[in-house]
Amino acid sequence: MYLSVPGSSSNSPVDCRTSSLKIFIAALENALTAELLRNLSFGCVNSVSSGCHTDMDFQLFQQSGRFICQELATMPQTAAASFLTLRQAGQDCEQRLLQLTGGVNTQKGLLFLVLFLWQAWVSNTSWAALSEHISNFAQDLQKDYVQMPYSRSSLSHRAGLADIRHLPLTGFRPLLNTVKLYLQSDWSDLQLTLYLIATTDDTTTFKRGGLEKLRYVQQTAGQILLLTAEEQIKAAEDLNNYYLSNNLSSGGVADLFSLTKCLAELKDQWL
């Protein structure tokens, strides 16, 4: 566990909200731990390797994940009132995260995405209404493509990729579909990772390797999923080595892996 959120034995409304938030934080903690413990991380940091990264390691990611959980556990619920209040709270949290990591971008993308799920959770949005709620709540992100034209997300968007803003703008539909498939198919962590590589326009991979290498790893991951479970392991090791030898990272996939695991654990506990 990254964090234990203190609770109370009383039944006041505040304590009920605290108890509910503990469920959300615990699921996120479990998901972040599972992501770091993957045997094959496809250029990302895990418990035995820093992947293709020279400025971050397992311990730093543990600290980063713990910090994000602590921030979400203590964030004033007034931050959920509007897109602007959530964005400001997120930006403040991001600055504190960068101070913690010495300026290293460990999980800014994860923080960006999980804040929309946190907002939906604390505002008591039902699972059935989750996608529509997030899509409506996030519509102001459309302005970022004009106001922040040189951000990684905007550049990826202009290249025709489904960038990180695409997820909240579409109500997390691709992610929720992945959660459904994951629960139905009983995938291993490796199979979930391969599926995400195959279906995600990972802007971290795109930034490091360009469109050709991004499409190559997507196509290869999709082909590996068609193999037997035993064959998948060897082919996945080869793909992992391709990431390392080409200095690629699947950072976007890692974030979606964590959120898939988190939502899969929360689904039956969501309203």
Side-chain angles (χ1 to χ4, degrees):
M1 285 290 192
Y2 279 83
L3 168 73
S4 294
V5 183
S8 168
S9 59
S10 69
N11 294 314
S12 70
V14 172
D15 291 326
C16 289
R17 288 196 297 269
T18 300
S19 177
S20 172
L21 189 54
K22 286 175 66 176
I23 296 172
F24 183 92
I25 299 300
L28 181 59
E29 291 171 342
N30 293 338
L32 293 174
T33 298
E35 189 274 313
L36 280 177
L37 294 180
R38 291 179 299 160
N39 290 329
L40 298 178
S41 57
F42 302 94
C44 293
V45 171
N46 65 7
S47 61
V48 298
S49 170
S50 292
C52 69
H53 299 279
T54 59
D55 57 350
M56 55 185 78
D57 57 19
F58 179 70
Q59 183 178 6
L60 186 64
F61 262 84
Q62 283 189 308
Q63 293 172 344
S64 174
R66 186 181 300 114
F67 176 84
I68 289 173
C69 289
Q70 290 170 338
E71 286 283 312
L72 293 176
T74 58
M75 186 173 290
Q77 294 195 13
T78 53
S82 70
F83 176 82
L84 290 179
T85 56
L86 186 68
R87 165 162 274 185
Q88 185 60 60
Q91 289 173 341
D92 293 344
C93 179
E94 180 183 301
Q95 289 304 308
R96 291 191 291 271
L97 177 60
L98 289 173
Q99 290 174 2
L100 173 76
T101 63
V104 176
N105 176 11
T106 51
Q107 292 170 304
K108 284 170 58 178
L110 173 77
L111 173 62
F112 170 78
L113 294 173
V114 79
L115 279 168
F116 288 100
L117 297 176
W118 175 89
Q119 192 278 337
W121 180 273
V122 301
S123 62
N124 295 321
T125 302
S126 70
W127 183 269
L130 183 59
S131 184
E132 182 179 7
H133 171 84
I134 292 175
S135 178
N136 291 335
F137 187 86
Q139 280 307 301
D140 278 354
L141 286 174
Q142 290 281 5
K143 300 174 185 177
D144 289 354
Y145 292 123
V146 176
Q147 297 172 353
M148 305 178 193
Y150 299 109
S151 69
R152 181 194 298 181
S153 185
S154 296
L155 293 172
S156 300
H157 180 72
R158 289 205 296 275
L161 304 182
D163 65 293
I164 192 171
R165 294 191 191 106
H166 175 80
L167 271 173
L169 283 170
T170 58
F172 279 52
R173 282 196 299 271
L175 180 63
L176 293 173
N177 288 337
T178 300
V179 172
K180 182 178 179 180
L181 287 171
Y182 173 66
L183 291 171
Q184 290 176 343
S185 305
D186 193 29
W187 283 334
S188 66
D189 286 353
L190 176 59
Q191 289 169 323
L192 173 58
T193 302
L194 289 168
Y195 177 81
L196 288 168
I197 291 174
T199 58
T200 302
D201 286 342
D202 192 325
T203 58
T204 304
T205 306
F206 173 65
K207 180 183 178 183
R208 284 175 169 264
L211 187 59
E212 183 177 351
K213 286 186 172 63
L214 171 62
R215 296 306 185 210
Y216 173 78
V217 298
Q218 288 177 317
Q219 181 181 15
T220 303
Q223 292 170 343
I224 294 173
L225 285 170
L226 300 176
L227 303 175
T228 66
E230 185 175 345
E231 292 171 332
Q232 283 177 3
I233 295 174
K234 175 61 171 65
E237 289 173 349
D238 291 341
L239 181 58
N240 186 68
N241 289 334
Y242 178 84
Y243 270 87
L244 295 174
S245 62
N246 286 274
N247 196 35
L248 301 178
S249 173
S250 59
V253 163
D255 293 340
L256 296 184
F257 176 96
S258 296
L259 294 181
T260 300
K261 299 277 279 192
C262 178
L263 287 172
E265 182 174 335
L266 288 172
K267 184 177 183 299
D268 290 339
Q269 303 176 79
W270 211 288
L271 288 176

